[in-house]
Amino acid sequence: MALKDEELMQIIVTADNAAFIDGVAPKGRVFPVIQSVMRQLGHESYQFAGVNENPLVKRIEELHSSMYRSKDLAIGGVHGGVYMFRDVFIQISVPLIYGTVELDILRLTDMSDMQKRLLAMNPAFFNQFADQFIDIFDFGAGFEGFDEARHLEERLLPKFGLAKYQLQAAAATLCSPFEFQGAVQSGLLAAELTVKAGLSGAGYTDQQLKKLNHDMSNCVNAFCEVYDGADFERMARVSGSLPKFVENRYSSEQPGRVETGEIVMKAQYIAGEVMRQLSGWSLRQRLDGVSERSYP
């Protein structure tokens, strides 16, 4: 006799808990759960998917997914960021890419259809958006080696990974209903970590990096000395306009909404410019109809 959903659900919950204890993330638990449940029910050979998928496997998948929200099971892309359209924060995603694809950069956002139309109607806003999208994409490209981009050396992944976490934390904060000021420190730290990671790529030791302290001017000067292809004028101007990391950390006066968005977007620019020097590549080379950089 077939198990009732309630009975099957009890077995699924037990299997899910075992996967949780084993350290498997929610989005990766469905496979060990299916294997565990099917084994307990005496099934050793079965098809996971396709036209001949075992009906019981389908039931397990559906019941297991009901334990979570869609965002709990979502598989993220390579990287993500944020664009501030006027004073509204737009989420940008860099997807996993296999083979040759055609990119519609507006579709890789959570903008409404009307927001997309309004953005496309204003060349200044669209060019700014394109610049930010390219910065975010270029930073992610170094981790995956898209197209002709050089993949980051293995030894640099931990340091760039730290910067990536902070960039994504800043974007996530701005795109959430929580206090936007929480993104300021993440943005400032991300900018510093990215430049220092780039310097590690040029042979700087951890001791040399520590001597730079949290001084972005020193960091950018040192970076552009070893990477002569970097846009020193823009990097120096942008980094010089950012709040001082330590002073901001202890200040009761924090930037407003628009200024906070600018800080995070400037950090994304710095991250993109750093990665371009190491990867030798930019999405701008592959996009048609995109103007020369105008932001920041």
Side-chain angles (χ1 to χ4, degrees):
M1 187 174 67
L3 287 174
K4 295 179 180 178
D5 281 352
E6 293 80 5
E7 296 170 320
L8 183 56
M9 190 64 168
Q10 289 181 352
I11 302 174
I12 290 171
V13 170
T14 300
D16 183 86
N17 192 50
F20 163 67
I21 292 172
D22 288 341
V24 182
K27 62 186 177 184
R29 286 182 200 155
V30 64
F31 297 112
V33 165
I34 290 174
Q35 291 173 328
S36 176
V37 173
M38 292 296 280
R39 190 182 309 114
Q40 289 183 59
L41 297 178
H43 298 272
E44 295 296 336
S45 179
Y46 47 88
Q47 187 164 321
F48 263 101
V51 293
N52 295 318
E53 180 180 23
N54 187 300
L56 181 55
V57 170
K58 186 68 174 175
R59 280 183 69 198
I60 295 170
E61 287 178 315
E62 291 175 350
L63 288 171
H64 182 257
S65 66
S66 71
M67 295 173 58
Y68 298 97
R69 301 163 297 180
S70 58
K71 66 180 181 180
D72 298 327
L73 303 177
I75 298 175
V78 173
H79 185 43
V82 65
Y83 169 65
M84 183 174 63
F85 180 35
R86 301 174 70 219
D87 62 349
V88 175
F89 300 120
I90 304 297
Q91 183 175 310
I92 293 175
S93 299
V94 178
L96 287 165
I97 294 175
Y98 300 97
T100 302
V101 299
E102 184 173 325
L103 282 181
D104 180 346
I105 62 177
L106 289 175
R107 292 187 64 183
L108 296 174
T109 72
D110 62 354
M111 277 189 279
S112 69
D113 289 340
M114 180 55 72
Q115 286 174 325
K116 292 175 185 176
R117 287 198 290 270
L118 290 172
L119 183 67
M121 288 166 53
N122 188 313
F125 276 129
F126 182 81
N127 291 338
Q128 184 187 61
F129 164 76
D131 286 338
Q132 277 289 279
F133 184 94
I134 290 168
D135 290 331
I136 294 165
F137 197 100
D138 287 356
F139 185 76
F143 289 88
E144 293 298 318
F146 288 151
D147 195 31
E148 297 177 2
R150 291 190 295 271
H151 197 288
L152 282 174
E153 296 177 43
E154 195 72 26
R155 68 183 180 86
L156 297 178
L157 288 175
K159 283 186 167 62
F160 274 99
L162 291 174
K164 185 180 183 182
Y165 304 153
Q166 295 297 333
L167 287 167
Q168 293 183 5
T173 300
L174 292 181
C175 294
S176 75
F178 301 116
E179 295 292 343
F180 57 83
Q181 285 94 342
V184 175
Q185 281 284 298
S186 290
L188 296 175
L189 184 56
E192 177 185 328
L193 288 172
T194 308
V195 176
K196 287 182 174 178
L199 286 169
S200 292
Y204 268 61
T205 65
D206 287 345
Q207 281 300 111
Q208 288 175 302
L209 294 177
K210 286 179 181 178
K211 289 180 180 179
L212 295 172
N213 297 314
H214 296 296
D215 190 321
M216 279 298 291
S217 293
N218 287 342
C219 292
V220 168
N221 287 338
F223 181 84
C224 291
E225 282 180 5
V226 293
Y227 294 100
D228 56 12
D231 187 342
F232 172 70
E233 186 280 327
R234 195 182 300 270
M235 285 190 73
R237 173 171 51 79
V238 170
S239 63
S241 69
L242 296 173
K244 303 297 182 185
F245 178 75
V246 177
E247 292 177 11
N248 172 267
R249 185 167 58 192
Y250 298 109
S251 176
S252 59
E253 295 184 6
Q254 291 294 314
R257 182 180 180 86
V258 172
E259 187 180 354
T260 298
E262 291 281 354
I263 289 168
V264 174
M265 292 202 297
K266 288 174 180 177
Q268 291 175 159
Y269 158 70
I270 291 172
E273 184 66 10
V274 168
M275 189 65 81
R276 284 187 281 272
Q277 308 315 304
L278 279 83
S279 71
W281 182 88
S282 175
L283 178 64
R284 193 179 297 273
Q285 303 161 1
R286 296 294 192 214
L287 289 180
D288 295 327
V290 175
S291 65
E292 292 295 315
R293 174 174 290 279
S294 61
Y295 181 87

